């Protein structure tokens, strides 16, 4: 039996995730939805912490709540009329269908899986993850880093001022 | 120049009549003097007693060992567990009581600092600028920040027209969350750490990335160009300077072989060396990038008051603006704590931590780093935005990454090489200092190979808007 603190923490975090997740699609302002999405990400990090997955929780905060949200902010900023009322769009029906499909899929998976797996003792996850990433799965790790390098070079190529035309792209 | 050659002004008379601190202290009432001397003697006696108890080993792990409040918490948990309570209630209590006490401690440290900090900063700045600073409210002006807070609270809350009310009211509270949460993994003594996480370094980086969004919301919801400009500048700067911070912390993790903050401190204590001696460039990069991260003065372009009013909190009034300023102060000592934990040996001082409580040593180090921040603020002018971004992307990041590779090689040698630590660590320190200096010079040569440094080019905006040219034309 888990200690009561973990149980209370789980329900608080689950409530936070579900509540703010609901508010994400109830909010009519895109930036309000984004704010609730960040709260939902933080709640997910809390859920990972109750599962003793501290590394993944920190990665969740760092990548999703810290970086992806800023990326979304810039995407919203570059969208005209971002703060208008987004309640009446034609994408409600396909959105609902997709959400229902994903919910059904995840629900079936959750019901189908046998959750009574053997519990292994570990003190910290960061050693295990580091050893696996740089040992067994080093190829995937390296491919991901090459992909990121391509993205970096591509971003530089897109905004580079060509040396033959120094005036281009400066004053616009 | 002697004073009698000038006519006496009120200022010069005040300076001539100014009494030193010792004079003023001796001029206190007799009762206060007696009480102070009794307190001093009592403190000395208690220190001698503590020293005797430390030597005789009577103090190890007892609850009254105030060198480490963690001892009291451990004793409390033991007492609760052995009292024959229901195990679930007992386990809840053993979590709940230390958690609440620790949270109270952290919040009171930050809150106490918010009372002393503004006064300390203004007094220090005044000393640097050869003036008096706030000295009228209370003894030595100590109540100045209290008066400021009262004044801010009384002010009218003005909401700009067209502001997004939800996003306008959330940020002053949201920026406080990382400023408080960041204190969690910092060890104040061997057992005195609120949450000694295994992923402490990652936690620090993750928490520092949370403030970005609150800043953006504040700037966007204010419906003001200055606010949005300030927010954009702050976001660009914070995102850029997160990379040097992460890379320099990676060098720390590589050398110490742990992401746990207490183990990083223990490593430095066991090796008898501070990491700033081994990886000086990483330490300085961390310090500089942190000043950008928390908007302090060489890098406070996000709220540069002479350019864009107050940056992202231009439209906030009263206590809301006060909260933003308070967060800045709180973040300054948080960065001081992180800097001392990672690079300055944390709560240890070469064995002194056995005699003096570790948290006092850490507090002293935090104070020294904070003094450095004030010194920088009083001395250096503000960087321009493009200079700051260029400094991060063209200089700090490449050089930090190159030196981080060097540190990785050294740490893998350090693990395998069975040499005495002063030899291996001394070699590492020498190699790192030489590499940092050499790389800096080489990289500067590469960066400025086409530039005549004696006649720097005008910035793009000035060229386009014709700042200097327009001035010349106007002058004729």
């Amino acid at each position: 039996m888990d200690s009561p603190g973990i149980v209370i923490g789980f329900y608080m975090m689950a409530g936070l995730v579900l509540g703010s997740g609901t508010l994400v699609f109830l909010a009519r302002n895109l930036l309000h939805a984004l704010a609730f999405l960040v709260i939902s990400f933080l709640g997910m990090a809390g859920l990972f912490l109750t599962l003793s997955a501290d590394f993944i929780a920190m990665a969740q905060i760092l990548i999703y709540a810290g970086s992806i949200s800023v990326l979304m902010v810039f995407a919203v900023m570059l969208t005209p009329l971002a703060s208008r009322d987004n309640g009446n769009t034609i994408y409600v029906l396909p959105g609902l269908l997709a959400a229902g499909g994903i919910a059904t899929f995840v629900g079936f998976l959750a019901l189908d899986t046998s959750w009574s797996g053997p519990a292994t003792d570990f003190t910290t996850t960061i050693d295990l993850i580091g050893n696996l990433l740089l040992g067994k799965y080093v190829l995937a790790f390296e491919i991901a880093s090459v992909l990121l390098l391509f993205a970096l070079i591509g971003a530089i190529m897109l905004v580079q001022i060509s040396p033959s035309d120094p005036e281009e792209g400066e004053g616009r | 120049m002697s004073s009698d050659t000038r006519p006496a002004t009120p200022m010069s008379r005040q300076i001539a009549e100014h009494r030193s601190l010792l004079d003023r202290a001796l001029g206190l009432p007799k009762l206060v003097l007696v009480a102070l001397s009794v307190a001093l003697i009592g403190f000395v006696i208690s220190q001698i007693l503590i020293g005797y108890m430390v030597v005789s080993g009577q103090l190890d792990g007892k609850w009254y060992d105030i060198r480490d409040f963690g001892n009291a918490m451990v004793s409390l948990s033991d007492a609760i567990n052995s009292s024959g309570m229901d195990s679930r209630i007992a386990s809840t209590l053993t979590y709940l009581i230390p958690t609440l006490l620790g949270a109270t401690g952290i919040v009171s440290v930050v809150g106490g600092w918010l009372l002393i900090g503004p006064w300390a900063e203004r007094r220090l700045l005044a000393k640097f600028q050869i003036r008096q600073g706030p000295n009228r409210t209370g003894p030595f002006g100590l109540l100045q920040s209290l008066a400021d807070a009262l004044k801010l609270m009384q002010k009218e809350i003005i909401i700009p027209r067209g502001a997004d009310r939800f996003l306008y009211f959330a940020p002053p509270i949201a920026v406080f969350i990382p400023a408080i949460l960041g204190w969690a993994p910092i060890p104040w003594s061997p057992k005195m750490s609120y949450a000694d996480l295994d992923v402490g370094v990652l936690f620090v980086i993750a928490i520092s990335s949370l403030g970005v969004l609150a800043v953006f919301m504040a700037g966007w919801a204010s419906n003001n160009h200055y606010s949005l400009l300030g927010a954009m500048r702050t976001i660009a700067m914070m995102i850029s300077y997160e990379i040097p911070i992460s890379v320099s912390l990676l060098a720390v993790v590589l050398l110490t072989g742990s992401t746990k903050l207490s183990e990083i401190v223990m490593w430095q204590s066991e090796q008898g060396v501070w990491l700033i001696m081994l990886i000086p460039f990483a330490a300085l990069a961390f310090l500089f990038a942190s000043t950008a991260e928390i908007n302090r003065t060489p890098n406070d372009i996000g709220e540069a008051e002479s350019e864009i009013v107050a940056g992202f909190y231009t439209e906030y009034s009263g206590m809301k603006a006060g909260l933003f300023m308070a967060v800045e102060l709180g973040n300054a000592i948080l960065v001081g704590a992180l800097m001392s934990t990672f690079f300055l040996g944390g709560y240890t001082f070469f064995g002194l931590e056995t005699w003096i409580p570790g948290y006092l040593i850490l507090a002293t180090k935090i104070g020294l780093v904070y003094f450095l921040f004030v010194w920088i603020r009083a001395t250096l002018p503000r960087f321009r935005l493009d200079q700051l971004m260029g400094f991060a992307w063209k200089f700090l990041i490449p050089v930090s990454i190159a030196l981080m590779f060097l540190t990785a090689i050294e740490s893998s040698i350090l693990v395998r090489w069975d040499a005495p630590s002063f030899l291996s660590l001394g070699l590492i320190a020498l190699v790192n200092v030489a590499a940092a200096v050499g790389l800096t010079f080489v990289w500067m040569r590469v960066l400025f190979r086409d530039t005549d440094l004696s006649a720097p080019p005008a910035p793009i905006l000035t060229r386009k808007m014709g700042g200097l040219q327009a001035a010349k034309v106007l002058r004729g």
Side-chain angles (χ1 to χ4, degrees):
Chain A
M1 186 59 206
D2 289 326
S3 72
I6 295 287
V7 177
I8 296 169
F10 171 78
Y11 280 111
M12 276 171 62
M13 288 302 161
L16 193 67
V17 170
L18 291 179
S20 53
T22 316
L23 283 170
V24 168
F25 65 85
L26 286 183
R28 299 200 153 199
N29 188 323
L30 211 49
L31 275 165
H32 292 187
L34 192 73
F36 289 123
L37 191 65
V38 171
I39 297 173
S40 157
F41 285 151
L42 292 178
M44 278 304 289
L47 278 182
F48 284 132
L49 274 184
T50 62
L51 295 171
S52 307
D54 43 8
F55 180 79
I56 301 181
M58 290 312 133
Q60 170 88 15
I61 295 179
L62 187 60
I63 296 170
Y64 284 90
S67 310
I68 302 257
S69 59
V70 174
L71 194 71
M72 288 177 179
V73 159
F74 280 105
V76 170
M77 294 279 299
L78 296 175
T79 315
L81 297 178
S83 61
R84 67 176 174 204
D85 188 346
N86 287 295
N88 308 314
T89 62
I90 54 169
Y91 301 112
V92 169
L93 197 62
L96 277 180
L97 281 178
I102 292 172
T104 322
F105 176 68
V106 175
F108 266 118
L109 268 185
L111 289 177
D112 204 41
T113 315
S114 74
W115 290 102
S116 55
T120 48
D121 271 349
F122 58 87
T123 51
T124 167
T125 56
I126 192 164
D127 290 357
L128 299 171
I129 290 174
N131 280 328
L132 282 177
L133 269 186
L134 291 178
K136 196 174 170 187
Y137 301 111
V138 68
L139 189 65
F141 185 70
E142 293 296 329
I143 288 174
S145 67
V146 170
L147 190 70
L148 287 177
L149 184 66
F150 282 163
L152 198 65
I153 294 173
I156 292 171
M157 289 293 289
L158 278 178
V159 297
Q160 194 190 28
I161 304 168
S162 70
S164 61
D165 189 9
E167 287 300 304
E168 188 199 25
E170 271 186 8
R172 288 175 209 165
Chain B
M1 190 185 293
S2 61
S3 59
D4 46 13
T5 58
R6 283 182 181 177
T9 60
M11 186 71 182
S12 70
R13 233 178 289 131
Q14 232 175 13
I15 291 173
E17 286 164 8
H18 183 72
R19 291 183 301 160
S20 72
L21 201 63
L22 188 67
D23 274 356
R24 271 185 289 172
L26 288 177
L28 285 172
K30 281 283 184 309
L31 203 66
V32 180
L33 277 182
V34 169
L36 277 179
S37 43
V38 165
L40 189 70
I41 292 167
F43 179 75
V44 170
I45 290 175
S46 70
Q47 286 307 304
I48 291 170
L49 274 178
I50 287 175
Y52 170 72
M53 286 168 90
V54 168
V55 169
S56 62
Q58 286 176 9
L59 210 60
D60 287 337
K62 297 280 169 37
W63 64 269
Y64 44 80
D65 182 0
I66 54 155
R67 288 174 302 156
D68 191 344
F69 290 133
N71 286 323
M73 289 300 124
V74 172
S75 309
L76 189 70
S77 310
D78 288 345
I80 290 172
N81 280 330
S82 60
S83 67
M85 250 185 283
D86 181 38
S87 71
R88 294 168 78 178
I89 298 176
S91 71
T92 310
L93 279 183
T94 49
Y95 273 116
L96 206 61
I97 294 174
T99 310
L100 288 179
L101 283 178
T104 317
I106 288 176
V107 171
S108 41
V109 164
V110 177
W113 176 250
L114 294 188
L115 277 184
I116 306 170
W119 173 80
E121 175 147 7
R122 288 171 67 182
R123 283 293 285 220
L124 278 175
L125 273 179
K127 296 290 173 208
F128 277 115
Q129 295 163 354
I130 323 181
R131 51 190 179 85
Q132 284 294 315
N135 61 355
R136 294 299 155 116
T137 327
F140 308 112
L142 259 172
L143 299 178
Q144 184 64 43
S145 25
L146 207 64
D148 281 349
L150 281 175
K151 179 200 74 177
L152 284 175
M153 267 185 251
Q154 287 171 3
K155 285 199 169 180
E156 184 188 359
I157 293 172
I158 302 165
I159 305 165
R161 187 180 297 151
D164 189 328
R165 293 190 68 112
F166 169 69
L167 291 183
Y168 180 76
F169 283 119
I173 302 153
V175 287
F176 242 100
I177 297 170
I180 301 279
L181 269 183
W183 286 97
I186 288 168
W188 292 83
S189 275
K191 292 176 199 161
M192 193 174 148
S193 157
Y194 186 60
D196 199 8
L197 296 164
D198 289 320
V199 287
V201 174
L202 265 176
F203 181 82
V204 166
I205 300 171
I207 287 302
S208 73
S209 75
L210 275 183
V212 176
L213 210 67
V215 166
F216 168 77
M217 281 177 187
W220 190 84
S222 298
N223 200 19
N224 180 333
H225 288 295
Y226 290 117
S227 301
L228 197 56
L229 260 179
M232 284 299 153
R233 289 163 74 152
T234 314
I235 289 177
M237 197 170 62
M238 283 171 108
I239 291 176
S240 312
Y241 277 94
E242 255 165 41
I243 304 169
I245 286 184
S246 311
V247 172
S248 47
L249 291 188
L250 197 55
V252 172
V253 172
L254 279 170
L255 267 180
T256 57
S258 172
T259 51
K260 208 170 177 174
L261 263 63
S262 62
E263 280 177 18
I264 290 174
V265 173
M266 278 319 291
W267 190 88
Q268 299 179 56
S269 158
E270 277 162 16
Q271 308 284 342
V273 69
W274 290 353
L275 276 174
I276 194 172
M277 305 171 192
L278 298 184
I279 38 175
F281 189 86
L284 294 181
F286 180 83
L287 195 67
F288 187 83
S290 302
T291 58
E293 209 43 33
I294 63 172
N295 264 329
R296 278 197 75 86
T297 288
N299 308 329
D300 67 339
I301 54 160
E303 39 163 291
E305 63 265 29
S306 50
E307 299 164 24
I308 47 172
V309 195
F312 57 90
Y313 59 86
T314 303
E315 287 291 347
Y316 285 85
S317 63
M319 204 58 209
K320 294 199 182 325
L323 277 178
F324 280 114
M325 289 180 243
V327 164
E328 213 169 285
L329 265 174
N331 274 337
I333 52 164
L334 176 58
V335 165
L338 291 175
M339 178 78 195
S340 14
T341 303
F342 286 130
F343 296 106
L344 302 178
Y347 59 82
T348 65
F349 192 84
F350 307 117
L352 196 69
E353 70 273 8
T354 347
W355 304 89
I356 292 177
Y359 47 87
L360 287 187
I361 297 176
L362 184 62
T364 314
K365 286 177 181 172
I366 293 172
L368 288 179
V369 177
Y370 185 72
F371 177 73
L372 188 64
F373 279 154
V374 178
W375 190 359
I376 292 172
R377 178 174 176 177
T379 314
L380 291 182
R382 187 183 300 125
F383 281 101
R384 222 169 49 209
L385 179 64
D386 58 331
Q387 288 170 337
L388 203 56
M389 303 296 284
F391 187 72
W393 287 100
K394 291 181 192 160
F395 176 71
L396 266 189
I397 293 175
V399 177
S400 306
I401 288 179
L403 288 173
M404 192 263 291
F405 273 115
L406 188 66
T407 314
I409 296 167
E410 284 165 355
S411 65
S412 64
I413 292 172
L414 187 67
V415 171
R416 287 169 183 77
W417 187 28
D418 201 18
S421 71
F422 71 89
L423 185 63
S424 54
L425 293 179
L427 266 178
I428 285 179
L430 281 180
V431 168
N432 273 335
V433 171
V437 174
L439 252 180
T440 308
F441 273 103
V442 169
W443 190 245
M444 285 323 228
R445 280 289 165 83
V446 172
L447 272 185
F448 294 115
R449 63 188 181 282
D450 297 332
T451 317
D452 180 14
L453 285 180
S454 56
I460 292 173
L461 200 63
T462 315
R463 249 185 287 154
K464 279 286 169 192
M465 309 291 284
L468 291 174
Q469 298 303 321
K472 271 178 200 159
V473 170
L474 278 179
R475 276 194 220 110

